[in-house]
Amino acid sequence: MDKLKPLVQKGLIEVPSLMSTCTHNAHVFYIKVQDLDTRTKLLKFLKDHHVMAVFHYVPLHSSKAGEQYGRFNGEDVFTTKESERLIRLPLYYGIKDSEMAHIIDCLYTFFAHFDESK
């Protein structure tokens, strides 16, 4: 996560936060971007650069089964908005340092262009 700090400090992404007494479980590594438009563009950019990243999840209330069988109580203040910001980056046993470096380089390249287009 340290290698992503400059992107975090610029407010371009958010990364999981861990308490100092905890360690990452290495099950999923996600980032949050500004909005759905940014997520869509970044996912396409990553795919074009051979990085298989995906959106993280569809909220239950807006899934096909949730719409058919469930109901939403209250106001959806965070769930949909936050789900639209999430990207799950590749993480698996045996991922190579060179693969991680490529993913990180792609993020920096994308956001360098993203910053210029603002």
Side-chain angles (χ1 to χ4, degrees), residues 7-98:
L7 296 175
V8 172
Q9 291 169 336
K10 287 183 174 183
L12 296 169
I13 65 170
E14 293 177 29
V15 295
S17 61
L18 297 172
M19 296 186 323
S20 61
T21 56
C22 297
T23 58
H24 193 280
N25 69 5
H27 169 68
V28 170
F29 186 79
Y30 68 87
I31 61 172
K32 289 185 187 180
V33 296
Q34 184 178 7
D35 53 31
L36 179 59
D37 184 54
T38 306
R39 182 185 83 179
T40 302
K41 289 175 182 173
L42 178 54
L43 286 174
K44 181 182 180 330
F45 181 87
L46 291 171
K47 182 179 179 182
D48 291 347
H49 290 83
H50 311 288
V51 175
M52 194 60 213
V54 295
F55 62 87
H56 187 70
Y57 77 101
V58 175
L60 181 58
H61 70 273
S62 58
S63 70
K64 188 174 182 176
E67 288 176 342
Q68 185 174 354
Y69 301 111
R71 66 181 186 276
F72 191 89
N73 292 316
E75 186 179 348
D76 181 6
V77 177
F78 300 107
T79 306
T80 298
K81 179 182 174 189
E82 292 303 305
S83 74
E84 292 175 346
R85 299 176 56 216
L86 283 166
I87 294 176
R88 193 171 70 221
L89 295 176
L91 177 66
Y92 53 90
Y93 181 79
I95 191 169
K96 298 175 185 165
D97 287 345
S98 61

